[in-house]
């Protein structure tokens, strides 16, 4: 299961091949943002077939199947696993240019040794190959992570989670670190129908009866401290959009009580509450030494029929377009009144690249990395072009050498090939600048930058050098 098994694909020059072979392909993986199930890591799950690995939770693949007219029965329905895989293999050749096409072949080659092309003709053989291989000990979840040379896995966790599996893993020497990530969206999204139920859940988990803004802060602070004791080093805020309004505790308390009594909130009231609570969280994260990640510009569940019949996270979200830049800058500026936490910012709208790269420069300070980072090309942007555009923007408007690199943002334990995919594009990007005379320092200095972006910068930014 060595890295770099697909040879020279995406490496379109001798310089790119040199950078990849000498500096990128053997670097370990620091996967600081993912959605893998920690229970499956602790129990060291053995998957029975490729469908369980590929199609059980992967909304990237589900979207493609729907776009090709595959019935939902074969996507999230009750079809047999083999039939689901055959349906996916049938549509995969149509997906030329989509990263899923390449990721699938990278995974089949890296983990199963399959050298061919997956389609409706080869699918039965691939099914049998994977089924036989998955019976071997090296295909348990922990062994997949180890063989992928992953040193750190950041999961995504509800603040009310008991973190029992994380605590159990901390007591074992498994060869890599698994840490929870604090994801408080449910308790900040006051406009969502699930909000009041979420507050009841938070009250039970924290032992604090949430009846106003003071007790809400107290309950969240207790859960943050609990997460910190369980090894948490990061929080993640998934925002549909960023809206800033000057907040006060008194205003936010009235708004919260209005929502809890079933009142209808205005856009201004929602923005006041969210601004205050986001700033509160940022203050706490700074005290705890956590990294705060903010994702925004997503339209969640625009397909109401699909949402009502299938639920959330089923592959129906899309990119939001809108002018939230000034509100984001005001939010970060407000954080600066106290000690701002380290920040990683991601927009689902790829046209925000230049804005984020210049915003990062506006809040840089005299500390390593300036404490603020434009995060990796995320979700719909982790394509070849999306990653390349991101790198070009950061090179042109920021400091590429400081970049914290790739993440999987995935629920699949085979998705670590996305780091290899990213590193190839990175090496080609740097090589093109060298070959065109835009970078003069030579291969060795460029190679150090490649190594840092591939792994070392993320490890340092998250403060994990002594652990991993």
């Amino acid at each position: 299961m060595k890295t770099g098994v697909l040879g020279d694909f995406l490496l379109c020059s001798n310089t790119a091949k040199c950078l990849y072979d000498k500096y990128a392909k053997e670097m370990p993986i620091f996967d600081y943002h993912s959605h893998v199930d920690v229970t499956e890591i602790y129990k060291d799950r053995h998957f029975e077939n490729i469908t369980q690995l590929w199609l059980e939770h992967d909304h990237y693949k589900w979207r493609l199947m729907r776009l090709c007219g595959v019935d939902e029965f074969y996507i999230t329905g009750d079809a047999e696993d083999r039939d689901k895989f055959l349906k996916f293999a049938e549509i995969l050749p149509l997906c030329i240019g989509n990263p899923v096409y390449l990721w699938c072949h990278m995974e089949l080659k890296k983990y199963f040794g399959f050298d061919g092309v997956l389609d409706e003709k080869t699918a039965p053989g691939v099914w049998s190959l994977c089924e036989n291989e998955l019976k071997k000990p090296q295909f348990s979840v922990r062994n997949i992570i180890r063989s992928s040379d992953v040193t750190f896995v950041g999961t995504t966790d509800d603040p009310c989670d008991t973190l029992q599996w994380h605590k159990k893993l901390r007591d074992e020497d498994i060869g890599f670190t698994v840490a929870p990530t604090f994801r408080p969206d449910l308790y900040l999204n006051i406009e969502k129908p699930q909000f009041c139920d979420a507050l009841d859940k938070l009250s039970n988990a924290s032992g604090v009866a949430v009846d106003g803004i003071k007790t809400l802060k107290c309950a969240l602070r207790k859960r943050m401290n609990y997460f910190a004791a369980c090894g948490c080093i990061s929080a993640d805020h998934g925002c549909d959009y960023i809206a800033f309004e000057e907040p006060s505790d008194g205003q936010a308390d009235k708004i919260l009580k209005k929502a809890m009594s079933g009142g209808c909130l205005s856009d201004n009231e929602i923005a006041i509450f969210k601004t205050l609570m986001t700033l509160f969280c940022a203050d706490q994260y700074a005290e705890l030494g956590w990294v705060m990640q903010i994702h925004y510009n997503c339209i969640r569940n625009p397909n109401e029929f699909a949402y009502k019949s299938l639920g959330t996270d089923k592959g129906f979200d899309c990119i939001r377009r809108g002018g939230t830049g000034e509100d984001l800058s005001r939010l970060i500026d407000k954080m600066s009144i106290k000690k701002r936490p380290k920040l990683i910012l991601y927009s689902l709208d790829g046209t925000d690249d230049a804005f984020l790269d210049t915003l990062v420069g506006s809040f840089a300070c005299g500390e390593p990395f300036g404490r603020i980072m434009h995060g990796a090309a995320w979700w719909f942007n982790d394509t070849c072009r999306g990653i390349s555009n991101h790198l070009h923007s950061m090179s042109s408007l920021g400091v590429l050498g400081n970049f914290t690199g790739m993440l999987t943002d995935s629920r699949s334990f085979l998705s670590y090939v996305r780091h290899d995919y990213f590193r190839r594009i990175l090496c080609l990007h740097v090589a093109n600048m060298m070959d065109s005379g835009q970078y003069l320092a030579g291969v060795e200095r460029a190679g150090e930058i490649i190594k840092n972006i591939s792994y070392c910068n993320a490890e340092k930014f998250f403060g994990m050098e002594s652990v991993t």
Side-chain angles (χ1 to χ4, degrees):
M1 297 187 185
K2 295 180 180 179
T3 57
V5 292
L6 290 188
D8 295 335
F9 98 103
L10 291 177
L11 304 172
C12 302
S13 71
N14 289 331
T15 306
K17 295 172 189 175
C18 174
L19 291 174
Y20 176 78
D21 289 336
K22 288 186 67 175
Y23 301 104
K25 74 176 182 179
E26 297 300 334
M27 291 300 293
I29 291 172
F30 192 96
D31 198 39
Y32 56 86
H33 183 98
S34 79
H35 297 275
V36 294
D37 187 345
V38 66
T39 309
E40 294 180 345
I41 300 176
Y42 177 75
K43 295 184 176 180
D44 206 15
R45 180 180 176 183
H46 244 98
F47 295 91
E48 297 175 2
N49 56 59
I50 189 63
T51 295
Q52 291 180 5
L53 264 169
W54 266 14
L55 295 167
E56 201 169 82
H57 303 294
D58 195 338
H59 53 75
Y60 283 82
K61 297 184 179 73
W62 295 345
R63 286 178 71 93
L64 296 181
M65 294 173 78
R66 293 187 189 110
L67 284 167
C68 292
V70 176
D71 191 274
E72 196 68 32
F73 176 70
Y74 296 100
I75 303 172
T76 60
D78 295 329
E80 295 293 326
D81 283 353
R82 186 176 187 274
D83 294 334
K84 288 182 176 182
F85 174 73
L86 295 179
K87 284 290 184 182
F88 175 70
E90 183 180 328
I91 65 95
L92 188 60
L94 301 175
C95 302
I96 183 172
N98 192 291
V100 171
Y101 179 85
L102 283 173
W103 294 342
C104 286
H105 288 91
M106 292 173 73
E107 290 173 18
L108 289 175
K109 174 64 176 177
K110 175 179 175 63
Y111 294 103
F112 300 100
F114 177 69
D115 287 311
V117 176
L118 179 60
D119 56 24
E120 68 278 9
K121 295 179 181 178
T122 60
V126 172
W127 171 269
S128 297
L129 168 67
C130 294
E131 191 173 39
N132 290 331
E133 289 294 307
L134 286 169
K135 295 175 182 176
K136 299 177 179 179
Q138 62 261 39
F139 282 96
S140 73
V141 164
R142 294 188 190 186
N143 283 331
I144 290 172
I145 295 173
R146 292 185 188 110
S147 66
S148 303
D149 203 9
V150 178
T151 66
F152 181 88
V153 178
T155 61
T156 303
D157 305 275
D158 188 293
C160 294
D161 197 297
T162 65
L163 303 182
Q164 61 173 319
W165 307 115
H166 285 91
K167 289 193 287 187
K168 289 178 180 291
L169 283 170
R170 283 169 63 85
D171 293 334
E172 297 187 24
D173 182 10
I174 58 175
F176 53 91
T177 300
V178 182
T181 299
F182 191 81
R183 182 75 177 251
D185 301 353
L186 283 175
Y187 313 96
L188 273 62
N189 289 336
I190 195 170
E191 79 283 12
K192 302 288 187 181
Q194 306 92 338
F195 179 71
C196 288
D197 289 340
L199 293 187
D200 291 339
K201 183 179 176 184
L202 179 61
S203 296
N204 292 331
S206 65
V208 177
V210 177
D211 58 6
I213 203 70
K214 183 177 180 179
T215 49
L216 174 58
K217 288 181 175 181
C218 180
L220 285 172
R221 188 183 298 112
K222 286 188 71 173
R223 297 309 300 170
M224 291 176 196
N225 291 336
Y226 179 80
F227 267 60
C230 294
C232 181
I233 58 171
S234 178
D236 181 47
H237 289 234
C239 308
D240 296 353
Y241 59 93
I242 306 294
F244 180 92
E245 289 291 342
E246 285 289 347
S248 74
D249 277 17
Q251 288 176 304
D253 189 61
K254 291 178 182 178
I255 293 166
L256 175 58
K257 289 174 179 175
K258 181 179 178 181
M260 294 176 72
S261 63
C264 184
L265 302 181
S266 68
D267 289 345
N268 182 259
E269 288 174 319
I270 293 168
I272 288 171
F273 176 82
K274 285 190 169 185
T275 301
L276 183 130
M277 291 306 301
T278 302
L279 291 172
F280 162 76
C281 288
D283 287 345
Q284 303 307 305
Y285 303 156
E287 288 184 13
L288 291 166
W290 289 1
V291 174
M292 182 181 189
Q293 302 179 63
I294 300 177
H295 301 73
Y296 71 98
N297 268 352
C298 178
I299 299 178
R300 303 280 182 180
N301 310 305
N303 184 333
E304 187 174 357
F305 174 80
Y307 171 62
K308 288 181 176 179
S309 58
L310 297 174
T312 60
D313 301 322
K314 295 298 188 294
F316 292 95
D317 301 341
C318 65
I319 297 169
R320 177 186 293 271
R321 302 297 298 274
T324 62
E326 185 176 349
D327 286 329
L328 179 59
S329 66
R330 292 174 69 196
L331 181 70
I332 296 172
D333 188 47
K334 197 75 172 181
M335 291 179 191
S336 301
I337 293 175
K338 297 183 180 180
K339 184 178 180 182
R340 191 176 64 237
K342 291 181 181 178
L343 288 170
I344 302 182
L345 308 174
Y346 316 77
S347 173
L348 195 53
D349 181 358
T351 62
D352 277 349
D353 280 350
F355 159 69
L356 287 174
D357 285 320
T358 56
L359 181 71
V360 164
S362 298
F363 289 95
C365 62
E367 297 183 43
F369 304 101
R371 298 187 68 84
I372 182 168
M373 183 66 56
H374 177 191
W378 167 55
W379 198 348
F380 293 117
N381 300 312
D382 54 6
T383 64
C384 185
R385 176 168 291 182
I387 293 170
S388 181
N389 288 344
H390 180 280
L391 295 174
H392 276 283
S393 178
M394 186 173 285
S395 298
S396 301
L397 300 171
V399 179
L400 181 63
N402 285 345
F403 181 33
T404 48
M406 193 56 175
L407 44 79
T408 61
D409 191 34
S410 174
R411 292 166 175 80
S412 170
F413 291 101
L414 298 188
S415 291
Y416 299 115
V417 300
R418 296 182 190 181
H419 286 263
D420 187 55
Y421 179 79
F422 164 80
R423 291 172 185 181
R424 290 167 180 267
I425 298 168
L426 171 66
C427 289
L428 179 61
H429 172 76
V430 174
N432 286 342
M433 288 194 290
M434 295 174 68
D435 291 342
S436 62
Q438 297 180 70
Y439 189 70
L440 310 177
V443 171
E444 187 172 339
R445 178 58 64 88
E448 286 302 309
I449 291 174
I450 296 291
K451 289 170 67 175
N452 288 339
I453 295 173
S454 296
Y455 179 81
C456 302
N457 285 348
E459 183 188 49
K460 184 177 180 180
F461 195 80
F462 282 84
M464 293 295 286
E465 304 100 311
S466 63
V467 179
T468 56

